[in-house]
Amino acid sequence: MQVPLLDFKKQYQGLKEEILKEISDVCDSQHFVLGDKVQKLEKEIAEYCNAEFACGVTSGSDALIISLMVEDIGAGDEVITTPFTFFATVGAICRVGATPVFVDVDPDTFNIDPAKIEEKITSKTKAIIPVHLFGQCCDMDAINSIAKKHELIVIEDACQSIGAEFNGKRAGSMGDYGCFSFYPTKNLGCFGDGGMVTTNDEKKAELLHIFRNHGQGSTYIHKHIGGNFRLDALQAAVLSIKLRELDSWSTAREANAAEYRKLFAASKIGDKVKLPFVANYASKHIYNQFSILVADGKRDELCSKLREANVGCGIYYPLSLHLQECFKSLGYQEGDMPVSEKLSKEILALPIFPESTSEQRQCVVDTIEKILCG
Ligand SMILES: *Cc1c(COP(=O)(O)O)cnc(C)c1O
């Protein structure tokens, strides 16, 4: 049996007719950038995320960059974030000229550890970017109270967590900004690159819309230096259709996770692997990834043997960001972020996509059992 890590072909087949019709409509209109389709999607995403406003942008990476730009964060400023995330979180901080300051993660949730934030705050700190990793929110009460005390901006990196909830509150509705990606492998993916920023602040929303179009207030009159961060009408049209299905896909991912837990419990694998932890406050986990921890230095071997057996798996992320060559000048050393470093050696993502089958999950767990228990 083949078990791919990801396969959205079935999902597309179910929506193909509707999507192709919408794409054809956009082509007929010859209106490809911003416009009605983008405005419609912005309203829908704001509503879905329980935020007041939303601004469609080119990608999740640009969602982070434009949020920092609107806050005028740049050279000489520090931004606190996690070393255990996709590169773009930290790349965005550097792209605006600011300095990323890493805070190690919680060993259970893999998200930034709020207890370690305050010791990293200096007079230069301007913002915190918590990342809701793999579909589970950070401890936003703790983070927001630190931010409030020190007057810091909070930019939620919710690129992996659209629809996830912290005590009933949706990702992207709790900070000053919420950043989303519609890269095809995210839970809500478009047919290329796309992103969105949510906010509850009308002034910030207005600035986001100005900055994404080269800082133009009215045509050819520039009050700010923005950039081209405009979302395509074609992507917006596809996303509006897919958004209607998002809750059912998230429910399927949760059910798949629950099934994995039963299958692992019934196997001989025991504590050779640790299953994803769900925090008490995580009233909704959307399982962008189902990442297990593999003990005793066996992760790499397990990963390559699974792939040999045609079982897909992924390593997010194999090298903690503070140890990346491009961030050498920041001066971090091995041992500085022990939790993140340990996770990068033990983490392994298993197939969890909504259309994956019970037979496939049984095959994944059987194969792991065979490899780890002989
Ligand atoms: C995917 C992702 C991004 C970047 O999104 P793009 O749309 O690929 O630019 C940023 N942060 C996190 C945590 C992500 O998973």
Side-chain angles (χ1 to χ4, degrees), residues 58-62 64 85-86 88-89 131 133 157 159-160 180-183 186 193-195 288 317:
T58 23
S59 67
S61 305
D62 284 342
L64 293 159
T85 175
F86 178 57
T89 315
V131 179
L133 203 71
D157 182 339
C159 288
Q160 300 182 6
F180 295 89
S181 167
F182 304 126
Y183 186 73
K186 310 292 176 170
D193 280 304
N288 177 243
Y317 297 91

Side-chain angles (χ1 to χ4, degrees), residues 187-213:
N187 286 26
L188 178 64
C190 61
F191 289 2
D193 280 304
M196 189 74 67
V197 185
T198 52
T199 182
N200 291 318
D201 182 315
E202 190 166 10
K203 188 91 190 102
K204 292 187 197 308
E206 193 185 324
L207 286 171
L208 286 167
H209 284 87
I210 291 172
F211 270 72
R212 77 156 167 209
N213 198 12

Side-chain angles (χ1 to χ4, degrees), residues 87-160:
F87 176 83
T89 315
V90 182
I93 297 168
C94 298
R95 285 281 306 279
V96 299
T99 303
V101 173
F102 293 113
V103 166
D104 208 357
V105 294
D106 177 276
D108 293 323
T109 63
F110 316 149
N111 285 330
I112 192 167
D113 187 344
K116 295 179 179 157
I117 292 177
E118 268 191 302
E119 63 198 66
K120 296 292 183 78
I121 294 175
T122 72
S123 58
K124 294 178 179 169
T125 310
K126 291 282 151 53
I128 307 174
I129 307 186
V131 179
H132 306 313
L133 203 71
F134 300 155
Q136 175 165 242
C137 286
C138 296
D139 182 349
M140 287 307 292
D141 277 351
I143 292 165
N144 278 337
S145 77
I146 294 165
K148 195 164 175 206
K149 181 170 157 202
H150 297 272
E151 294 181 33
L152 305 175
I153 292 292
V154 175
I155 300 171
E156 294 173 67
D157 182 339
C159 288
Q160 300 182 6

Side-chain angles (χ1 to χ4, degrees), residues 116-336:
K116 295 179 179 157
I117 292 177
E118 268 191 302
E119 63 198 66
K120 296 292 183 78
I121 294 175
T122 72
S123 58
K124 294 178 179 169
T125 310
K126 291 282 151 53
I128 307 174
I129 307 186
V131 179
H132 306 313
L133 203 71
F134 300 155
Q136 175 165 242
C137 286
C138 296
D139 182 349
M140 287 307 292
D141 277 351
I143 292 165
N144 278 337
S145 77
I146 294 165
K148 195 164 175 206
K149 181 170 157 202
H150 297 272
E151 294 181 33
L152 305 175
I153 292 292
V154 175
I155 300 171
E156 294 173 67
D157 182 339
C159 288
Q160 300 182 6
S161 292
I162 188 163
E165 289 177 7
F166 169 87
N167 287 334
K169 291 184 209 134
R170 289 244 157 142
S173 71
M174 295 172 277
D176 295 281
Y177 302 87
C179 297
F180 295 89
S181 167
F182 304 126
Y183 186 73
T185 62
K186 310 292 176 170
N187 286 26
L188 178 64
C190 61
F191 289 2
D193 280 304
M196 189 74 67
V197 185
T198 52
T199 182
N200 291 318
D201 182 315
E202 190 166 10
K203 188 91 190 102
K204 292 187 197 308
E206 193 185 324
L207 286 171
L208 286 167
H209 284 87
I210 291 172
F211 270 72
R212 77 156 167 209
N213 198 12
H214 287 299
Q216 266 186 145
S218 48
T219 311
Y220 301 127
I221 305 301
H222 301 260
K223 257 171 91 174
H224 306 276
I225 303 172
N228 176 358
F229 301 120
R230 299 179 302 243
L231 181 63
D232 282 10
L234 282 172
Q235 302 303 347
V238 170
L239 287 162
S240 280
I241 294 171
K242 292 184 74 174
L243 180 60
R244 291 183 221 139
E245 312 298 325
L246 182 58
D247 280 339
S248 72
W249 295 333
S250 297
T251 302
R253 284 174 184 269
E254 272 184 288
N256 296 350
E259 199 178 316
Y260 266 133
R261 291 182 196 281
K262 279 193 194 138
L263 291 171
F264 273 101
S267 77
K268 287 181 281 174
I269 298 163
D271 57 10
K272 289 181 166 59
V273 312
K274 190 171 162 241
L275 302 183
F277 172 84
V278 180
N280 283 334
Y281 60 67
S283 47
K284 189 154 186 76
H285 191 319
I286 61 150
Y287 291 100
N288 177 243
Q289 302 295 347
F290 187 87
S291 289
I292 62 171
L293 296 177
V294 187
D296 308 324
K298 294 245 165 64
R299 192 272 314 271
D300 289 340
E301 187 190 342
L302 176 61
C303 178
S304 50
K305 286 190 171 165
L306 281 171
R307 285 173 182 167
E308 275 168 37
N310 290 315
V311 172
C313 54
I315 297 173
Y316 314 109
Y317 297 91
L319 183 61
S320 183
L321 290 176
H322 70 290
L323 299 176
Q324 298 282 348
E325 194 179 338
C326 64
F327 298 137
K328 219 174 178 169
S329 65
L330 297 174
Y332 289 90
Q333 314 263 312
E334 202 157 345
D336 286 347

